[in-house]
Amino acid sequence: MTLVQMQTRPAGAGPTHRKAVEAMDSAGPQVWDDMSVEVALSVMAAARTGRLVVCDQDSQCTALVTQRELTAIRNSSAYTDRVRLRDVLGVHAPFAAP
């Protein structure tokens, strides 16, 4: 399983495509929704970012999650190390990063 997916910018990308890729890059690293909350927090720390783009098994971006949200989940009384991002994020439609 790949923990973080990096996107390369095609050399011939037009201005519209460049804007979309830059927006995704600025949103944070991409992770999969089957990742545990603890691992997602570790990825955030390693990437020195405060947010992650969460993707589903079809590589569709489904959510943007922040360090504050994940820390609150980890500190809750219902938390276990088996909690996955998809368990706490619920069902989301694909989104476009700001």
Side-chain angles (χ1 to χ4, degrees):
M1 172 173 68
T2 302
L3 295 180
V4 178
Q5 178 183 4
M6 302 302 289
Q7 293 182 336
T8 58
R9 195 170 285 121
T16 303
H17 185 265
R18 244 185 238 124
K19 288 179 186 175
V21 171
E22 288 168 3
M24 290 301 291
D25 288 346
S26 68
Q30 293 182 3
V31 296
W32 305 112
D33 64 358
D34 64 344
M35 181 179 289
S36 72
V37 170
E38 196 65 40
V39 172
L41 283 166
S42 295
V43 169
M44 246 184 234
R48 296 182 180 163
T49 186
R51 58 186 173 232
L52 297 172
V53 175
V54 182
C55 299
D56 64 11
Q57 62 273 15
D58 297 322
S59 298
Q60 294 294 315
C61 297
T62 57
L64 185 66
V65 66
T66 65
Q67 183 177 15
R68 175 179 276 165
E69 291 170 319
L70 293 182
T71 301
I73 292 165
R74 185 184 61 192
N75 293 338
S76 74
S77 60
Y79 177 76
T80 70
D81 62 351
R82 294 180 185 243
V83 175
R84 302 284 178 222
L85 292 176
R86 72 171 137 235
D87 300 333
V88 296
L89 296 176
V91 177
H92 296 277
F95 81 103

